[in-house]
Amino acid sequence: MTTKDRRLRERAEREQRFLDKAQELIQRDGLLSLQMSRIAEECDYAIGTLYQHFASKEDLLVTLATRNCLSRVDLFERAARWPGPTRERMVCIALADLMVIRTQPEHFRLAQFVWTEVIWGAASAETRRRSLDASAPLGALVDGIVESAQACGDLPTGLGLTPQALTLGPWTLCLGMHTLTHTEGLLEAHALSDPYRLLMKHLHCLLNGYGWQPLFDPSDDEALDALNARLCRDVFDTHCPNACRPPTARVATVSSFPEVSPH
């Protein structure tokens, strides 16, 4: 190994150490309490060294959120590569997202914060570009499901939507429900105690609207539970009959999904 290679490796290891410590401090003290000086101090480095890696706290937070986002790759690949019906593969993408939120709820809370204008807009253009490049494979996996569905005739091609535009529908649906669910008391105020059951119902209504075959009756709760349980078992190798049943409270929302590691 050359001196240059060793220095690059040491730099990469140091950067991961900073990110690990930032994640630890966020979990321990809360996101809004995070300070660059505290990260550097607990890693036994001068704060100037930390700023050599991240020009601002916004850059650090975007980089950390990007790293967390990539924890979805394995589960998304399982869903996209599974040799089952294309519609069920798309449902599996939503289930994979729920599994990540169940095992790593703090990652979603960080993402909520980072993708706001105040953080994303303050991060450097280079950091934003790296974030978008890093997450591109996730989008490609989902777009590939749509392309496969159109190629085999499961999904009509005359909808006037590119695969990227079409997958924006399920993405915004899932993201919106996660945001509402994690806003304490909001859904309860509207007497909505089963947000993730409602999410799956909306998802099937949307896929039905696309004409994605085979159509599914979202009003059949028993069939919905059976489908989710089967997909959790067959695609994600987890056996939990009630894995995808709805939570009855905000805290239960995170704990009512199967024990599947996203790594």
Side-chain angles (χ1 to χ4, degrees), residues 4-257:
K4 181 180 179 180
D5 290 338
R6 184 171 62 254
R7 287 176 177 173
L8 289 174
R9 185 187 66 180
E10 291 172 350
R11 178 180 176 84
E13 291 173 348
R14 188 165 59 243
E15 182 167 302
Q16 292 306 309
R17 182 175 178 182
F18 286 141
L19 292 173
D20 289 342
K21 180 56 65 173
Q23 186 75 57
E24 177 186 329
L25 292 175
I26 289 172
Q27 291 175 326
R28 189 181 75 194
D29 304 326
L31 181 58
L32 298 181
S33 298
L34 185 67
Q35 297 179 340
M36 296 290 275
S37 59
R38 188 65 180 277
I39 297 171
E41 177 185 350
E42 295 217 6
C43 289
D44 294 323
Y45 282 100
I47 191 169
T49 303
L50 176 59
Y51 278 112
Q52 289 175 9
H53 289 264
F54 308 102
S56 65
K57 184 165 76 171
E58 290 81 8
D59 277 8
L60 183 147
L61 289 172
V62 170
T63 303
L64 179 58
T66 301
R67 188 181 75 163
N68 292 347
C69 177
L70 296 181
S71 66
R72 289 170 162 80
V73 170
D74 177 62
L75 292 177
F76 273 39
E77 284 185 339
R78 287 201 226 177
R81 312 295 186 208
W82 182 60
T86 59
R87 176 171 174 140
E88 292 187 359
R89 286 184 233 166
M90 185 59 73
V91 173
C92 285
I93 292 293
L95 293 176
D97 213 33
L98 293 176
M99 290 176 186
V100 174
I101 288 179
R102 184 222 176 277
T103 56
Q104 301 169 334
E106 72 281 357
H107 289 187
F108 177 72
R109 297 188 185 102
L110 174 61
Q112 281 182 297
F113 186 58
V114 162
W115 309 136
T116 60
E117 183 179 357
V118 66
I119 301 298
W120 181 257
S124 68
E126 177 62 18
T127 296
R128 294 198 301 267
R129 184 193 63 77
R130 287 198 303 265
S131 176
L132 294 173
D133 288 347
S135 60
L138 290 173
L141 286 170
V142 183
D143 295 342
I145 298 175
V146 173
E147 293 166 356
S148 295
Q150 291 177 331
C152 72
D154 288 348
L155 181 64
T157 58
L159 298 175
L161 296 170
T162 65
Q164 294 81 6
L166 190 145
T167 57
L168 190 63
W171 181 24
T172 54
L173 180 62
C174 293
L175 183 61
M177 187 61 79
H178 298 329
T179 300
L180 294 175
T181 300
H182 283 80
T183 303
E184 188 170 2
L186 180 60
L187 294 181
E188 291 85 347
H190 292 82
L192 295 172
S193 59
D194 296 345
Y196 287 151
R197 178 185 292 280
L198 188 58
L199 167 61
M200 300 309 292
K201 287 176 177 285
H202 276 295
L203 177 60
H204 282 291
C205 287
L206 180 63
L207 299 181
N208 285 348
Y210 290 154
W212 201 323
Q213 301 296 320
L215 301 182
F216 184 85
D217 180 5
S219 68
D220 189 337
D221 288 342
E222 185 175 341
L224 182 64
D225 288 341
L227 173 63
N228 290 337
R230 175 172 61 80
L231 293 177
C232 286
R233 181 187 66 246
D234 293 351
V235 181
F236 302 113
D237 301 320
T238 183
H239 178 70
C240 185
N242 297 320
C244 301
R245 293 187 66 84
T248 56
R250 182 172 177 269
V251 174
T253 296
V254 178
S255 62
S256 59
F257 290 87

